[in-house]
Amino acid sequence: MPASDEGKMGTMLTGFSTRLRLSGALVLCAALAACSGGGGSSGSPDQLSAAARLGQKIFVDQTLSVSGKQSCATCHVAGFAFASDNSAGGPDHGLPVPLGGPNMDLSGFRNTPSLMYASFIPAFFFDGDGNPNGGFFRDGRAATLADQAIAPFTTAFEMANADAAAVIEKLKTRPYLADFTAIYGADVLNDPDTALKRMGAALAAYETEDPDFHPFSSKFDYWRNGQATLTSQELNGFALFNNSTKGNCAACHPTTSANGSTPAMFTDFSFDNLGLPRNANIPANADSGAPDYTPVNSDDGVHTYYDLGVCGPLRDDPGLNKSGICGQFKVPTLRNIAVTAPYFHNGQFATLADAIGFYVRRDTNPEQFYPTDSGGNATKFDDLPALYGGQFLVNINEPSSDANYAGNVNTGEIPYNRRLGGQAALTPDEINDVIVFLCTLTDGYDPAHPAAQVLPAQCRAAVTASTP
Amino acid sequence: MKKPFALSLIAAALLAAGAARAADPAAKPAGVDAATAQKLEQQIDLMQQQLEALKAELGQLRKQNESLAAQQQQQAVQVQEVAATASAKPEGGISPNLSLWGYGEIYYTHPVHQPEDTTADLARAVFGIGYRFDDRTVFNSEFEVEHAVSSADDQGEFEVEQFYVDHQLAPWVSVKGGLFLMPFGLLNEHHEPTNYYGVQRNFVETLIIPSTWREGGFAFHGDTDIGLTWDTGLTTGVNLANWSPNPEDPLYRTALQLENSGAAPLQASHQELQLANAQHLFEYGSLNYKGVPGLLVGAAISTGTSKASAQTPDQRVTLWETHARWTPGAADLSAVYARGSITGTAPYNTLNAGGSNPMPSKFYGYYLQGAYSVWRHNGYRLAPFVRWERYDMGAGYEGIAPGFSPVPGGLASDGRPWPQPYDRVWTYGANFYLNPHVVLKADYQSYQTNSDFTRFDLGLGLNF
C-alpha cells in the first residue's frame, strides 16, 4: 500500500503556541499531585538549573555543525513533539530519514524519534530472560541521555564535525562559553573528549528538566485525573488498544503507570521485531546505489546492508552476539504520536491508519505491504536476512503456505499472530477508533478550552460522524 | 543412635591422627636450627587451629545429634497421640519450652484433557517453631518453602506464614500481636494436609477466602463456658493497587495454575505483611460455637478500605463467610459459604477499559462436603469423600466498556479461549491415613464450565 503524505499536513502547533499552552497546563499540573514524575519538572523553564539552561542554548545552536545550518532542534522540532518536521513545506517533508552533513545533503539511516518523555527511558540492560530493554537510540546503543547527546556532533551525516576537538573549537567561539566554564571550569576545554561529554551532560539536563519535554498535558492525562471526558469513540479506541484479544497494543505500549506515580509511558522499553517492509526511500537501502558511508553487513546476495536494530550494524557491541534478537527495535512511546509521522524506525508509514493497518493485516494480507509478483508470491519480512527469518516466501493463494514460520519476527503475539486469509484483529472502523484514541495522547490540551487544541488532519479524518 | 556413634568414632580417629602428627616433630633429635624451630612452631600453631576447628565441629555435631534425638522423641510422643491432628504443637525437646513442628505435601496432578500440563511438585514444606515464655505467653512461627526450590530464578517462594506472640490477660481473654492466620472458614487456620479432604485445597477456601490467609496486626480472643469462641482484631488488609487489570495472556490455564496464580480477588491483593501498605487497617471479627460435641458452626467478617490507583476513590473491601462442620460417628460433613465485595470498581475499570482482568465488585463461593471413614484398622483409616462446590470470582462487574465483556471474547495468543472465572466442580476421592499424621490422597475433579481443567490427582501429606 503506497504511503500517503497526509500525516503531517493540516494544522500543526507552532513552537510558540505550544509553549503558551504548556505553561497553562503546568500551573494546573502544579496544583495536581498526579502530574508528578518529570524529574523535578513542575517548575517553569526559568527554574532550570544552570546546566539545563546551557543545554537549551546548545540544543538550538546551528553554529556547532559543519554546515552551520543544523542543530539538535533542526531534526527535533519543538512543534512536532521534538521529532522532525515532515509537514508540507517542512524541511523533512516526505523523507523517511533526516538530512545532514557538511552540505545538508546526506541522508541518515533512521526516522527521527520524538524526544518527549525520553528522559524516562532507563539505561540499556538485559532483563532476567536475556531480553534487551531501554537505552537510547532506536537500538538502545547509548546507555544514557548524556552519552546519546554527544553522538550527533560528530556523525558524518548529521552535524558532521571531524572529532570532539572540532566541536570544542566551535564551542570556544560561542557567547555561552562563559556559562560553560562557570559550570565545568575552563581547564576542561583542554581535554576535548571530556569537554564534549560535559556538553552532553548539559543537553541531558535540559531534556530532563525542561517540562516542555514532559508536560503530561494531553487529554488522556486530564481524563485520568477526572478533568476531561473521552468521547465514546475515544473510549472505544482505548478499550480496543488495551484489549488482549483485539489490539493488544498495551502489552508493549502500557496505558497504566509502571510505578504507581509516573503517568503511563505508552512503552515498556522492551524491544521487538515487527518484520517491517524494507523502505526503498531510504538511500542506504539502495545496495549498489547506497551512499558510501553505508555499512556493509550482508553477503546474502539479496542486500548488502540490513538495519538489524539491536544487533547492528549501527550498534557495535562485540559482546552482543545473540542472533535471536537481530531485527529488534526499541518500543517507542506513543505519546504525541499523531504529530510525529512518519512511523517506525524506517519511517515506512506516513499515517497512523497505515501503521495500524500494518499491525493487523501484515499476516492476513501480506501483498499490501511486501513485494508480490503476479503469481501471488509475496516476500514477507523483506528487510531481514533469511538467516534470521527474513525473506519469507508465501503464496497468497495458498492459505497454508505461511505455516511453520520460524524466525526472529514476532508472529506469536496479538495482533500479529494471524494467518493468510484470516480475519484482521481490527476492522477499518476499529482502526479509526484506535486512531482517535491515540490522538488524545497529544500534549497541549486545555480542559477549559478543549477546542483550542487543533489536532492533525489524520485525527480529524478518523472521527466517525455518528460519535457525539 | 547408630549414626552419632559412627561420627564420634571418625572424630576420635581424626583427633588421634592430629595428635600423632603433632607429636612427631617434637620427637626429632635436638640441635634443630632456628628456622626449623620456627617452622615447627608454625606447624604446631596450625595444628592447634585444626584441633580447635575439629572441636567446634564436634560440638556442632553433638548439638545436631541432640536436636535429632529431640525430634525423634517428639515424633514418638506424637505417634502415640491419637487426638485430632489439628495444630498439634508438642512440647519438650531441647528446652521444655521450645516446640518444633512441621508439615508438608507432595502431589501429582494430571489434567485429563491437557496431559502436557501434568505436574508433580513438593508443593510446600513448612516448619514451625514455638516458644512458651511462661504459662500465659507463647510465641509461634511457621516458615514455608513452596515448590521445593526458592531462589530468584525458581518458581519457589520462601514465606513466613505466622510469627506472633499470644498473651493471656485473663482466663477469658488473650491478646495476640504479629503475623497470624485469619480465623476464616474451616481450612485457613487448620491447613495441614491431614486436615482436609482432597489432594488440593477446595476452591472456596482458596479463591474466595485466600488461604493461607494471614495478616499483621493485633487481636483479642477468648472462650466462654458455653462453648463460644470469639476473635476480633485490627490487621493489615488487602492492597487493591496490586491488582493487574490487563494481563496480556490468561493468568491460568489449569486448575493448579488457577490455585497458585494469585488471580482470585483477595489472593491478588492480600499482602502477607511484605512491606505491607499499612495506611488502611482492616477490622475483623469471628465467632465459633463448639458447645455441642461433634458440631462446629461459625462465621467471620473482615472489612476495610483500600485504593486501586491514585485516580480512584477509597474502596471498601469486605469478605464474610459462614461455616459448619458436623462429625457424627464416622461421618464428617461440612459446608462453607463465603462472599466478598469491593466498592468503587466502576471508575477503576473505566480507567482500564477493555482490560482482560477487570476488578469484580462481587465474588462468592460455597461448598458441601461429605466424608465417611469406611475402614479403620491398626491405626489405618480410609475415608472416601465427595464435594460439590461453586465459585464465582466475578459475580458482578461495574464500569465495563460498552461492547466489551469482563473476560475477553476472542482467542488468547495461544489460540485457545480465555478461561472463565466461575465454575461448578465435583470432587470424588479418598484420604487414606497410615496414621493420623501421614495421609495418602487421590481424587478426581470435574469442571462444568472450564471442562479443560478436569483432573486426576495423587498426593502425600504429613504433619508432625
Side-chain angles (χ1 to χ4, degrees), chain B residues 224-289:
Chain B
T224 64
D225 295 339
I226 56 163
L228 208 56
T229 62
W230 57 275
D231 188 340
T232 180
L234 271 182
T235 64
T236 53
V238 305
N239 182 2
L240 294 177
N242 293 346
W243 190 261
S244 146
N246 191 20
E248 183 183 2
D249 296 308
L251 294 169
Y252 50 89
R253 271 296 180 205
T254 66
L256 185 64
Q257 288 167 5
L258 166 62
E259 287 162 323
N260 292 335
S261 63
L266 298 187
Q267 277 181 334
S269 48
H270 90 270
Q271 305 190 80
E272 308 179 339
L273 207 62
Q274 200 178 72
L275 302 177
N277 180 339
Q279 197 185 347
H280 305 275
L281 290 180
F282 276 55
E283 52 261 34
Y284 78 87
S286 91
L287 271 182
N288 276 294
Y289 177 68

Coordinates of all heavy atoms in Angstrom, one line a residue, chain B residues 224-289:
Chain B
T224 N -15.7 -18.9 76.0 CA -16.7 -18.7 77.1 C -17.1 -20.1 77.5 O -16.9 -21.1 76.8 CB -18.0 -18.0 76.6 OG1 -18.6 -18.8 75.6 CG2 -17.6 -16.6 76.1
D225 N -17.7 -20.2 78.7 CA -18.1 -21.5 79.2 C -19.1 -22.3 78.4 O -19.1 -23.5 78.4 CB -18.7 -21.3 80.6 CG -17.6 -20.8 81.6 OD1 -16.4 -21.0 81.3 OD2 -18.0 -20.2 82.6
I226 N -19.9 -21.6 77.6 CA -20.9 -22.3 76.8 C -20.4 -22.8 75.5 O -21.2 -23.2 74.7 CB -22.2 -21.3 76.6 CG1 -21.7 -20.0 75.9 CG2 -22.9 -21.1 77.9 CD1 -22.9 -19.3 75.3
G227 N -19.1 -22.6 75.3 CA -18.5 -23.2 74.0 C -18.4 -22.2 72.9 O -18.2 -22.6 71.8
L228 N -18.5 -21.0 73.2 CA -18.4 -19.9 72.2 C -17.0 -19.4 72.2 O -16.4 -19.1 73.2 CB -19.4 -18.8 72.5 CG -19.9 -18.0 71.4 CD1 -20.6 -18.8 70.4 CD2 -20.9 -16.9 72.0
T229 N -16.3 -19.4 71.0 CA -15.0 -18.7 71.0 C -15.2 -17.5 70.1 O -15.9 -17.5 69.1 CB -13.9 -19.6 70.4 OG1 -14.3 -20.0 69.1 CG2 -13.8 -20.9 71.2
W230 N -14.5 -16.5 70.5 CA -14.5 -15.2 69.7 C -13.1 -14.7 69.4 O -12.2 -15.0 70.1 CB -15.4 -14.2 70.4 CG -14.9 -13.9 71.8 CD1 -15.2 -14.6 73.0 CD2 -14.0 -12.9 72.2 NE1 -14.5 -14.1 74.0 CE2 -13.7 -13.0 73.6 CE3 -13.3 -11.9 71.5 CZ2 -12.9 -12.2 74.3 CZ3 -12.5 -11.0 72.2 CH2 -12.3 -11.2 73.6
D231 N -13.0 -13.9 68.4 CA -11.7 -13.4 68.0 C -12.0 -12.1 67.2 O -12.7 -12.1 66.3 CB -11.1 -14.5 67.1 CG -9.6 -14.2 66.7 OD1 -9.2 -13.0 66.8 OD2 -8.9 -15.1 66.3
T232 N -11.3 -11.0 67.6 CA -11.6 -9.8 66.9 C -10.3 -9.0 66.9 O -9.6 -9.0 67.9 CB -12.8 -9.0 67.4 OG1 -12.9 -7.8 66.7 CG2 -12.6 -8.6 68.9
G233 N -10.0 -8.3 65.8 CA -8.8 -7.5 65.8 C -8.7 -6.5 64.6 O -9.6 -6.4 63.8
L234 N -7.5 -5.9 64.6 CA -7.2 -4.9 63.6 C -6.0 -5.4 62.9 O -5.0 -5.8 63.5 CB -6.8 -3.6 64.2 CG -7.9 -2.5 64.5 CD1 -7.2 -1.3 65.1 CD2 -8.6 -2.2 63.3
T235 N -6.0 -5.5 61.6 CA -4.9 -6.0 60.8 C -4.6 -5.2 59.6 O -5.4 -4.4 59.2 CB -5.2 -7.5 60.3 OG1 -6.3 -7.4 59.4 CG2 -5.6 -8.4 61.4
T236 N -3.5 -5.5 58.9 CA -3.2 -5.0 57.6 C -4.3 -5.7 56.7 O -4.9 -6.7 57.1 CB -1.9 -5.4 57.1 OG1 -1.7 -6.8 57.2 CG2 -0.8 -4.7 57.8
G237 N -4.5 -5.1 55.6 CA -5.6 -5.7 54.7 C -5.1 -5.8 53.3 O -3.9 -5.7 53.0
V238 N -6.1 -5.9 52.4 CA -5.7 -6.1 51.0 C -5.3 -4.7 50.5 O -5.6 -3.7 51.0 CB -6.9 -6.6 50.2 CG1 -7.4 -7.9 50.8 CG2 -8.0 -5.5 50.1
N239 N -4.4 -4.8 49.5 CA -4.0 -3.6 48.8 C -4.4 -3.7 47.3 O -3.8 -4.4 46.6 CB -2.5 -3.4 48.9 CG -2.0 -2.2 48.2 OD1 -2.8 -1.4 47.7 ND2 -0.7 -1.9 48.2
L240 N -5.5 -3.0 47.0 CA -6.0 -3.2 45.6 C -5.0 -2.7 44.5 O -5.2 -3.0 43.4 CB -7.3 -2.5 45.5 CG -8.5 -3.0 46.4 CD1 -9.7 -2.2 46.2 CD2 -8.8 -4.5 46.0
A241 N -4.0 -1.9 45.0 CA -3.1 -1.4 44.0 C -2.3 -2.6 43.4 O -1.7 -2.4 42.3 CB -2.1 -0.4 44.6
N242 N -2.3 -3.7 44.0 CA -1.6 -4.9 43.5 C -2.4 -5.6 42.3 O -1.9 -6.5 41.7 CB -1.4 -6.0 44.5 CG -0.5 -5.5 45.6 OD1 0.2 -4.5 45.4 ND2 -0.4 -6.2 46.7
W243 N -3.6 -5.1 42.1 CA -4.4 -5.7 41.0 C -3.8 -5.5 39.7 O -3.3 -4.5 39.3 CB -5.8 -5.1 41.0 CG -6.8 -5.9 40.2 CD1 -7.2 -5.5 38.9 CD2 -7.5 -7.0 40.5 NE1 -8.1 -6.4 38.4 CE2 -8.3 -7.4 39.4 CE3 -7.5 -7.9 41.6 CZ2 -9.1 -8.5 39.4 CZ3 -8.3 -9.0 41.6 CH2 -9.1 -9.3 40.5
S244 N -3.8 -6.5 38.8 CA -3.3 -6.4 37.5 C -4.5 -6.4 36.5 O -5.1 -7.4 36.2 CB -2.3 -7.6 37.2 OG -2.4 -8.0 35.9
P245 N -4.9 -5.2 36.0 CA -6.1 -5.1 35.3 C -6.1 -5.6 33.8 O -7.1 -5.9 33.3 CB -6.4 -3.6 35.2 CG -5.0 -3.0 35.3 CD -4.2 -3.9 36.2
N246 N -4.9 -5.8 33.3 CA -4.9 -6.1 31.9 C -3.7 -7.1 31.5 O -2.9 -6.7 30.7 CB -4.8 -4.8 31.0 CG -5.1 -5.1 29.6 OD1 -5.6 -6.1 29.2 ND2 -4.6 -4.2 28.7
P247 N -3.7 -8.3 32.1 CA -2.6 -9.2 31.6 C -2.8 -9.6 30.2 O -3.9 -9.7 29.7 CB -2.8 -10.4 32.5 CG -4.2 -10.4 33.0 CD -4.6 -8.9 33.0
E248 N -1.7 -9.7 29.5 CA -1.8 -10.0 28.0 C -2.3 -11.4 27.8 O -3.0 -11.6 26.8 CB -0.4 -9.8 27.4 CG -0.3 -10.0 25.9 CD 1.1 -9.9 25.4 OE1 2.0 -9.7 26.1 OE2 1.2 -10.0 24.1
D249 N -1.9 -12.3 28.6 CA -2.3 -13.7 28.5 C -3.0 -14.2 29.7 O -2.9 -13.6 30.8 CB -1.0 -14.6 28.3 CG -0.3 -14.3 27.1 OD1 -0.9 -14.3 26.0 OD2 1.0 -14.0 27.1
P250 N -3.8 -15.2 29.6 CA -4.6 -15.7 30.8 C -3.6 -16.0 31.9 O -2.5 -16.5 31.7 CB -5.2 -17.0 30.3 CG -5.3 -16.8 28.8 CD -4.1 -16.0 28.4
L251 N -4.1 -15.7 33.1 CA -3.2 -15.9 34.3 C -3.1 -17.4 34.7 O -2.2 -17.8 35.4 CB -3.8 -15.1 35.5 CG -3.7 -13.6 35.3 CD1 -4.5 -12.9 36.4 CD2 -2.3 -13.1 35.3
Y252 N -4.1 -18.1 34.1 CA -4.0 -19.6 34.4 C -4.6 -20.3 33.3 O -5.5 -19.8 32.6 CB -4.8 -19.9 35.7 CG -6.2 -19.3 35.8 CD1 -7.3 -20.0 35.3 CD2 -6.4 -18.0 36.3 CE1 -8.5 -19.4 35.3 CE2 -7.6 -17.4 36.4 CZ -8.7 -18.1 35.9 OH -10.0 -17.6 35.9
R253 N -4.1 -21.6 33.1 CA -4.7 -22.4 32.1 C -5.1 -23.8 32.6 O -5.8 -24.5 32.0 CB -3.6 -22.7 31.0 CG -3.5 -21.7 29.9 CD -4.8 -21.8 29.1 NE -4.9 -20.8 28.0 CZ -6.0 -20.4 27.5 NH1 -7.2 -20.7 28.0 NH2 -6.0 -19.6 26.5
T254 N -4.7 -24.0 33.9 CA -5.2 -25.3 34.5 C -5.7 -25.0 35.9 O -5.5 -23.9 36.4 CB -4.0 -26.3 34.7 OG1 -3.0 -25.7 35.6 CG2 -3.3 -26.5 33.4
A255 N -6.3 -25.9 36.5 CA -6.9 -25.7 37.8 C -5.7 -25.5 38.8 O -5.9 -24.6 39.7 CB -7.7 -27.0 38.3
L256 N -4.6 -26.2 38.6 CA -3.5 -26.0 39.5 C -3.0 -24.5 39.4 O -2.7 -23.9 40.4 CB -2.4 -27.0 39.2 CG -1.2 -27.0 40.1 CD1 -1.6 -27.4 41.5 CD2 -0.1 -27.9 39.6
Q257 N -2.8 -24.1 38.2 CA -2.4 -22.7 38.0 C -3.4 -21.7 38.6 O -3.0 -20.7 39.1 CB -2.2 -22.4 36.5 CG -0.9 -23.1 35.9 CD -0.9 -23.1 34.4 OE1 -1.8 -22.4 33.8 NE2 0.0 -23.8 33.8
L258 N -4.7 -22.0 38.4 CA -5.7 -21.2 39.0 C -5.5 -21.0 40.5 O -5.5 -19.9 41.0 CB -7.1 -21.8 38.7 CG -8.3 -21.2 39.5 CD1 -8.5 -19.7 39.2 CD2 -9.5 -22.0 39.2
E259 N -5.2 -22.1 41.2 CA -5.0 -22.0 42.6 C -3.7 -21.2 43.0 O -3.6 -20.6 44.0 CB -4.9 -23.4 43.2 CG -6.2 -24.1 43.3 CD -6.1 -25.6 43.4 OE1 -5.1 -26.2 42.9 OE2 -6.9 -26.2 44.1
N260 N -2.7 -21.4 42.1 CA -1.4 -20.8 42.5 C -1.1 -19.5 41.9 O -0.1 -18.8 42.2 CB -0.2 -21.8 42.1 CG -0.3 -23.0 42.9 OD1 -0.7 -23.0 44.0 ND2 0.2 -24.1 42.3
S261 N -1.9 -19.0 40.9 CA -1.6 -17.8 40.2 C -1.9 -16.6 41.0 O -1.4 -15.5 40.6 CB -2.5 -17.8 38.9 OG -3.9 -17.7 39.3
G262 N -2.6 -16.7 42.0 CA -2.9 -15.4 42.8 C -3.9 -14.6 42.0 O -4.0 -13.4 42.2
A263 N -4.7 -15.2 41.1 CA -5.6 -14.4 40.3 C -6.9 -14.0 41.0 O -7.6 -13.1 40.6 CB -6.0 -15.2 39.0
A264 N -7.2 -14.8 42.0 CA -8.5 -14.5 42.7 C -8.5 -13.2 43.4 O -7.4 -12.7 43.8 CB -8.8 -15.6 43.7
P265 N -9.7 -12.6 43.6 CA -9.7 -11.2 44.0 C -8.9 -10.9 45.3 O -8.1 -9.9 45.2 CB -11.2 -11.0 44.4 CG -11.9 -12.0 43.5 CD -11.0 -13.1 43.3
L266 N -9.0 -11.7 46.3 CA -8.2 -11.3 47.5 C -6.8 -11.9 47.5 O -5.9 -11.4 48.2 CB -9.0 -11.7 48.8 CG -10.4 -11.0 48.9 CD1 -11.0 -11.3 50.3 CD2 -10.2 -9.5 48.7
Q267 N -6.7 -13.0 46.7 CA -5.3 -13.5 46.5 C -4.4 -12.5 45.9 O -3.3 -12.2 46.3 CB -5.3 -14.7 45.6 CG -5.6 -16.0 46.2 CD -5.6 -17.1 45.1 OE1 -5.7 -16.9 44.0 NE2 -5.3 -18.3 45.6
A268 N -5.0 -11.8 44.9 CA -4.2 -10.8 44.1 C -3.8 -9.7 44.9 O -2.8 -9.0 44.6 CB -5.1 -10.4 42.9
S269 N -4.6 -9.4 46.0 CA -4.3 -8.1 46.6 C -3.9 -8.3 48.1 O -3.6 -7.3 48.8 CB -5.6 -7.2 46.5 OG -6.7 -8.0 46.8
H270 N -3.9 -9.5 48.7 CA -3.5 -9.6 50.1 C -2.0 -9.5 50.2 O -1.3 -9.8 49.3 CB -4.3 -10.7 50.8 CG -3.6 -12.0 50.9 ND1 -3.8 -12.9 49.9 CD2 -2.7 -12.5 51.8 CE1 -3.1 -14.0 50.3 NE2 -2.4 -13.8 51.3
Q271 N -1.6 -9.1 51.3 CA -0.2 -8.6 51.3 C 0.8 -9.4 52.1 O 2.0 -9.3 52.0 CB -0.1 -7.2 51.9 CG -1.0 -6.2 51.3 CD -0.8 -4.8 51.8 OE1 0.2 -4.2 51.3 NE2 -1.6 -4.3 52.7
E272 N 0.3 -10.3 53.0 CA 1.2 -11.2 53.7 C 2.3 -10.4 54.5 O 3.4 -10.9 54.7 CB 1.9 -12.2 52.8 CG 0.9 -12.9 51.9 CD 1.6 -13.9 50.9 OE1 2.8 -13.7 50.6 OE2 0.9 -14.8 50.5
L273 N 2.0 -9.2 54.9 CA 2.9 -8.4 55.6 C 4.3 -8.2 55.0 O 5.3 -8.1 55.6 CB 3.1 -8.9 57.0 CG 3.5 -7.9 58.1 CD1 2.4 -6.8 58.2 CD2 3.7 -8.5 59.5
Q274 N 4.3 -8.2 53.6 CA 5.5 -8.0 52.9 C 5.6 -6.5 52.6 O 5.0 -6.1 51.6 CB 5.5 -8.8 51.6 CG 6.8 -9.1 51.0 CD 6.7 -10.0 49.8 OE1 6.2 -9.5 48.8 NE2 7.1 -11.2 49.9
L275 N 6.3 -5.7 53.4 CA 6.3 -4.3 53.2 C 4.9 -3.8 53.0 O 4.6 -3.0 52.1 CB 7.2 -3.9 52.1 CG 8.6 -4.3 52.1 CD1 9.3 -3.9 50.9 CD2 9.3 -3.8 53.3
A276 N 4.0 -4.4 53.8 CA 2.5 -4.1 53.6 C 2.2 -2.6 53.7 O 2.7 -1.9 54.5 CB 1.7 -4.9 54.6
N277 N 1.3 -2.2 52.9 CA 0.8 -0.9 52.9 C -0.1 -0.8 54.1 O -1.2 -1.4 54.1 CB 0.0 -0.6 51.7 CG -0.6 0.8 51.7 OD1 -0.8 1.4 52.7 ND2 -0.9 1.4 50.5
A278 N 0.3 -0.2 55.2 CA -0.5 -0.2 56.4 C -1.2 1.1 56.7 O -1.6 1.4 57.8 CB 0.5 -0.5 57.6
Q279 N -1.4 1.8 55.6 CA -2.1 3.1 55.7 C -3.6 2.8 56.1 O -4.2 3.6 56.9 CB -2.1 3.8 54.4 CG -2.4 5.2 54.4 CD -2.4 5.8 53.0 OE1 -2.0 5.1 52.0 NE2 -3.0 7.0 52.8
H280 N -4.2 1.8 55.6 CA -5.6 1.5 55.9 C -5.6 0.2 56.6 O -5.1 -0.8 56.1 CB -6.4 1.3 54.6 CG -6.3 2.5 53.7 ND1 -7.1 3.6 53.8 CD2 -5.5 2.8 52.6 CE1 -6.8 4.5 52.9 NE2 -5.9 4.0 52.2
L281 N -6.1 0.1 57.8 CA -6.2 -1.1 58.6 C -7.6 -1.7 58.4 O -8.6 -1.0 58.1 CB -6.0 -0.9 60.0 CG -4.5 -0.5 60.4 CD1 -4.3 -0.3 61.8 CD2 -3.5 -1.6 59.8
F282 N -7.6 -3.0 58.4 CA -8.9 -3.7 58.3 C -9.3 -4.2 59.7 O -8.4 -4.6 60.5 CB -8.7 -5.0 57.4 CG -8.9 -4.6 55.9 CD1 -8.1 -3.6 55.4 CD2 -9.8 -5.3 55.1 CE1 -8.2 -3.3 54.0 CE2 -9.9 -4.9 53.8 CZ -9.2 -3.9 53.2
E283 N -10.6 -4.3 59.9 CA -11.0 -4.9 61.2 C -11.7 -6.2 60.9 O -12.3 -6.4 59.8 CB -12.0 -4.0 62.0 CG -13.2 -3.4 61.2 CD -12.9 -2.0 60.8 OE1 -11.8 -1.7 60.4 OE2 -13.9 -1.2 60.7
Y284 N -11.6 -7.2 61.8 CA -12.3 -8.4 61.6 C -12.9 -8.9 62.9 O -12.5 -8.5 64.0 CB -11.3 -9.5 61.0 CG -10.4 -10.1 62.0 CD1 -10.8 -11.2 62.7 CD2 -9.1 -9.6 62.3 CE1 -10.0 -11.8 63.7 CE2 -8.3 -10.1 63.2 CZ -8.7 -11.2 63.9 OH -7.9 -11.8 64.9
G285 N -13.8 -9.8 62.7 CA -14.4 -10.5 63.9 C -14.8 -11.9 63.5 O -15.2 -12.1 62.4
S286 N -14.7 -12.8 64.4 CA -15.2 -14.2 64.2 C -15.8 -14.8 65.4 O -15.4 -14.4 66.5 CB -14.1 -15.0 63.6 OG -13.4 -15.7 64.7
L287 N -16.8 -15.6 65.2 CA -17.5 -16.3 66.3 C -17.6 -17.8 65.9 O -17.9 -18.1 64.8 CB -18.9 -15.8 66.4 CG -19.2 -14.6 67.4 CD1 -20.7 -14.3 67.4 CD2 -18.6 -14.9 68.8
N288 N -17.3 -18.7 66.8 CA -17.4 -20.1 66.6 C -18.1 -20.7 67.8 O -17.8 -20.4 68.9 CB -16.1 -20.7 66.4 CG -15.6 -20.6 64.9 OD1 -16.2 -21.1 64.0 ND2 -14.6 -19.8 64.8
Y289 N -19.0 -21.6 67.5 CA -19.7 -22.3 68.6 C -19.3 -23.8 68.6 O -19.5 -24.5 67.5 CB -21.2 -22.1 68.4 CG -22.0 -22.9 69.5 CD1 -22.0 -22.5 70.8 CD2 -22.8 -24.0 69.1 CE1 -22.7 -23.2 71.8 CE2 -23.5 -24.7 70.1 CZ -23.4 -24.3 71.4 OH -24.1 -25.0 72.3

